[in-house]
Amino acid sequence: MTYPWKALFLLLIVLSACSEVENQNDTGVIISTDRLRAEMEDPSLVLFHVGTREVYDSIHIPGSLFLDPYKFTVSSEGLRNQLPGLDSIFALLGTLGADKNSKIVLYYESERMITRASRVFLTLDYAGLGDRCQVLNGGLDGWLERSQDSVTSQVTEKVTGDKELRSVTGDKEVIILADELNHHRWDPEYVIVDVRSAEEYYGEIDSTGRLGTRGHIEGAYFMDYHLLLSESNPQVIKDNEELLKEFKKAGMDREKTAVFYCGSGIRASLSYLAAKHLGFPALMYDGSIQEWEQLGMPQTSPAIRSTQTK
């Protein structure tokens, strides 16, 4: 008996729709505890604990090295949390024990460090290392939940990193500058996404929590970065299907380049991480609203909230 062509056609449509989510599970940069456990014996694995020295010294995943995320940002010309120079990034990685063969996995010690770990990922992607870097979903707590007996307080001795790490990679187009962003604000091939709180987006407060005098970059959609985290456990990034829903609400699709920004570039790093995980073209406006205001670029006035977000 031959399979009905109509039924076969419908089946192909369903499988195609599902693959948009499912195919990302094995190739994305956000990985599960089970996947990390399966790769723990890989000699090329370099596992970094992103957080504070106090927590690391008391409890961490065996074999992991301590990484201070604040060393991966600099202040420059009145702007906070900017990317270091490439030479500084590679020098820092070398002191931490990474080399040209390293497969890097970052895990955050707490909910507060999710955006910081995402920021480190963005920095490594900028340095051309994004294809060898991943982030553990759930962080340290997620690991403890599945592997209670697999933690330690014993500090792992660092190995000497590769001083020539930069020679095997290079910088990557990750950052968009203010003038270029201003040029593309109404370009149909770009979608600008403000990931701050609704209060900041509508201009009720500014990014420091004070009474707002301006709203958001003209033309930007709104997508609070918290929407990418599980409602039941904010230390967990939502699954692929839920992330796709949030992205589509913010006007994103795979045919457009998404540009993320926040107050100073930290919160938007989580959105950048999720976009790269799902294979969306993405850029970061690293100066974010702090620079946009400093430059006097087009920005909305405070507004009464509505269902319209662009």
Side-chain angles (χ1 to χ4, degrees), residues 1 3 26 43 77 83 89 100 102 139 244 248 281 288 293 309:
M1 180 177 179
Y3 197 92
D26 295 326
E77 298 180 356
L83 282 167
I89 294 170
K100 64 183 179 181
S102 296
L244 278 170
K248 289 177 179 178
S288 280
E293 291 185 348
T309 57

Side-chain angles (χ1 to χ4, degrees), residues 89-269:
I89 294 170
F90 287 114
L92 183 56
L93 284 173
T95 64
L96 293 176
D99 63 34
K100 64 183 179 181
N101 298 313
S102 296
K103 177 179 179 180
I104 299 170
V105 174
L106 310 167
Y107 73 90
Y108 41 91
E109 69 180 28
S110 64
E111 178 187 348
R112 187 171 65 89
M113 287 292 171
I114 293 177
T115 54
R116 286 288 173 177
S118 301
R119 180 68 186 190
V120 175
F121 171 84
L122 178 140
T123 304
L124 298 186
D125 199 23
Y126 168 70
L129 298 169
D131 60 348
R132 61 177 75 185
C133 181
Q134 297 172 308
V135 176
L136 177 63
N137 200 2
L140 180 59
D141 276 9
W143 178 266
L144 285 169
E145 184 179 337
R146 300 293 297 273
S147 312
Q148 295 92 336
D149 57 337
S150 299
V151 290
T152 184
S153 60
Q154 183 176 352
V155 175
T156 301
E157 294 297 327
K158 296 179 183 178
V159 296
T160 302
D162 191 344
K163 295 181 180 179
E164 302 300 322
L165 182 60
R166 182 168 183 174
S167 68
V168 298
T169 184
D171 58 317
K172 182 178 177 181
E173 187 179 4
V174 166
I175 302 302
I176 187 170
L177 301 178
D179 287 340
E180 187 181 0
L181 174 57
N182 192 36
H183 176 74
H184 287 298
R185 281 189 302 119
W186 303 111
D187 187 332
E189 295 184 359
Y190 284 75
V191 56
I192 317 304
V193 184
D194 186 322
V195 310
R196 299 175 300 159
S197 67
E199 291 81 4
E200 293 168 277
Y201 179 84
Y202 288 105
E204 297 167 10
I205 60 173
D206 66 18
S207 294
T208 64
R210 295 175 292 191
L211 184 65
T213 58
R214 296 184 179 183
H216 53 271
I217 294 175
E218 287 184 352
Y221 283 86
F222 168 64
M223 185 187 72
D224 187 329
Y225 81 96
H226 287 103
L227 294 172
L228 306 182
L229 302 174
S230 168
E231 291 87 352
S232 60
N233 184 354
Q235 297 204 53
V236 174
I237 301 169
K238 287 181 176 178
D239 64 35
N240 294 353
E241 186 172 5
E242 291 179 297
L243 290 177
L244 278 170
K245 290 178 181 177
E246 298 299 341
F247 282 0
K248 289 177 179 178
K249 289 178 188 176
M252 295 170 57
D253 65 48
R254 298 186 198 280
E255 303 302 317
K256 300 178 181 179
T257 297
V259 178
F260 299 107
Y261 76 90
C262 55
S264 64
I266 299 300
R267 290 173 287 177
S269 298

